[in-house]
Amino acid sequence: LKEKIIDKIPFLAISCIGSITTMAIFNDNPIFKNYYVDFYSRMLSATKAFASYFCKFFVPFNLSNRYFYNVSTSISDWHVIISVFILALIVYFACKSFKKNVVIFFCILWVFINLAPVSNIIPGPHWMADRYLYYPSLAYGLFVAVLFSKTFKNINLFSSRINLKKGIVISILILMLCFYSFGTIKRNTAWSDSITLWEDCVKKNPESALARAYLGGSYMKKDLKNKAYPEFVESLKIFPSRANVWANLAYIDMDVGRLDEAYKKIRLALLYEWNDYEAHIALGLFYIHKANYNRAVIELERALELKPESIDDFILIYNSIGFAYHKKGQNMDAIEAFNKALKFNPDNYEVNLNLASIYTFYLNDKEKALLHLNKLKQLRPDNTNVEQIQARVSTMFAK
């Protein structure tokens, strides 16, 4: 036993370092303060989470990539009572199996140990997540295998003789395989793209502000602003202080010309979170609409300082900075910004169109104009803007 304990010490040390680092990050991040509840409520809610996880092993229904979770504050909550009863049965079964079958005891203990760090005993941003079951589910697979192995010891599966016990066991095994296979295929359809994923999540968790915000963002990426707007509105009804959601509403308002409404939403976004980069992007775009290009560049560069999270955001910022510089008559600065945008995605249509337009109509650089024109032809050959640039470039080469 001493040797077995000693050779686990390095792994324990690594785990402690990881845990301390995670806790330090949680404590320094103001976002996690929104999820903090007292220890008693955390323990009651963790009890519900443990029971739900065990149930999901056997009956994996209503799986979701994010859950809206009601924090329990009283032991009299019937969800807590049922969860305590379920966990008591599992603990009783584990104790009984310790002497009879240590592998089953190991499987149950494995699940508890691997779920403990993500059960919000230490405050974190998620009360439950399906991904937390990936590692513990190894034990569930072993548990099922052991149960069937014990049953098969008394049954000759390869015998041509069929008896009732053999037929029942084989039927149960086939039904389990079919059940889990069908569930896997069905669940995969929800993950076909971001819209189907978040639509599924909102359907199962309509009170999740974050799920509605992500669904709205997915609609925005597909240019379905009429669907995105109500999702953002519902998200803010549940959680009004999410700055990036206010910024997304402002984007939509600006697209349809509601500049005053957009500005009000941007002010609210910055009021809730002054250092939200999406709010500064929205403010930069607002100033572009107002033809205040100096302020636009300042706000967009501020957004860059705040480190955007996605490639799409970088492209939007650099493309908008390039547009502002172009409007100021600083075409070389505009080209520099557009080229930075292309580093993130060389096939971005709008950025290539802006570069082609500058080289064609303002700098009379026919080689570079032709370079970006050819890229535009690959992306959208029938676009009216492409035809106009094509005609001008042809004239340039004719001369």
Side-chain angles (χ1 to χ4, degrees), residues 279-304 316-318 320-325 327-328:
H280 284 279
I281 295 174
L283 187 55
L285 295 178
F286 171 79
Y287 283 127
I288 286 176
H289 279 86
K290 287 290 189 178
N292 189 341
Y293 302 115
N294 289 324
R295 287 296 301 273
V297 171
I298 290 171
E299 293 299 332
L300 292 166
E301 287 181 343
R302 174 61 180 151
L304 285 174
L316 173 62
I317 294 170
Y318 280 119
S320 300
I321 289 174
F323 180 82
Y325 275 132
K327 286 294 185 179
K328 290 170 62 178

Side-chain angles (χ1 to χ4, degrees), residues 17 54 94 222 232 277 371:
I17 292 169
F54 274 99
K222 296 291 185 180
F232 290 139
Y277 76 89
L371 175 68

Side-chain angles (χ1 to χ4, degrees), residues 93-282:
F93 183 67
C95 293
K96 292 288 285 185
S97 64
F98 181 71
K99 292 182 178 180
K100 293 184 177 181
N101 193 318
V102 74
V103 177
I104 291 178
F105 174 80
F106 167 82
C107 291
I108 297 171
L109 196 61
W110 174 278
V111 174
F112 274 108
I113 289 173
N114 282 286
L115 285 177
V118 291
S119 60
N120 258 307
I121 296 172
I122 297 169
H126 307 296
W127 287 102
M128 279 189 66
D130 288 345
R131 63 183 180 276
Y132 295 157
L133 282 179
Y134 294 164
Y135 204 50
S137 66
L138 294 173
Y140 176 67
L142 178 58
F143 172 76
V144 173
V146 169
L147 289 182
F148 276 100
S149 177
K150 285 174 65 69
T151 307
F152 290 159
K153 282 182 179 179
N154 301 319
I155 300 174
N156 185 358
L157 287 177
F158 300 101
S159 169
S160 58
R161 183 183 173 188
I162 300 292
N163 56 41
L164 181 60
K165 189 175 181 180
K166 179 179 178 180
I168 291 174
V169 171
I170 293 175
S171 298
I172 291 173
L173 182 58
I174 292 172
L175 285 172
M176 283 185 65
L177 290 172
C178 291
F179 173 72
Y180 288 127
S181 298
F182 175 77
T184 300
I185 294 168
K186 190 173 185 298
R187 185 69 190 136
N188 283 342
T189 59
W191 285 82
S192 59
D193 60 46
S194 61
I195 290 179
T196 57
L197 178 64
W198 290 111
E199 283 179 340
D200 175 78
C201 186
V202 168
K203 182 179 178 181
K204 294 170 180 174
N205 303 275
E207 296 179 81
S208 172
L210 202 58
R212 288 190 176 275
Y214 277 120
L215 178 56
S218 299
Y219 284 140
M220 286 279 284
K221 288 179 181 178
K222 296 291 185 180
D223 204 29
L224 299 171
K225 297 183 178 68
N226 59 323
K227 288 188 173 183
Y229 202 91
E231 294 299 333
F232 290 139
V233 170
E234 289 299 318
S235 176
L236 290 172
K237 287 180 182 178
I238 302 166
F239 194 82
S241 61
R242 197 172 292 281
N244 64 322
V245 179
W246 285 110
N248 279 315
L249 284 174
Y251 295 147
I252 299 173
D253 282 337
M254 283 186 280
D255 281 346
V256 296
R258 295 193 295 262
L259 296 184
D260 291 340
E261 288 297 315
Y263 186 65
K264 290 176 185 176
K265 292 177 174 65
I266 295 168
R267 291 290 299 272
L268 280 169
L270 293 172
L271 178 66
Y272 285 122
E273 193 174 343
W274 176 249
N275 285 330
D276 182 76
Y277 76 89
E278 289 190 66
H280 284 279
I281 295 174

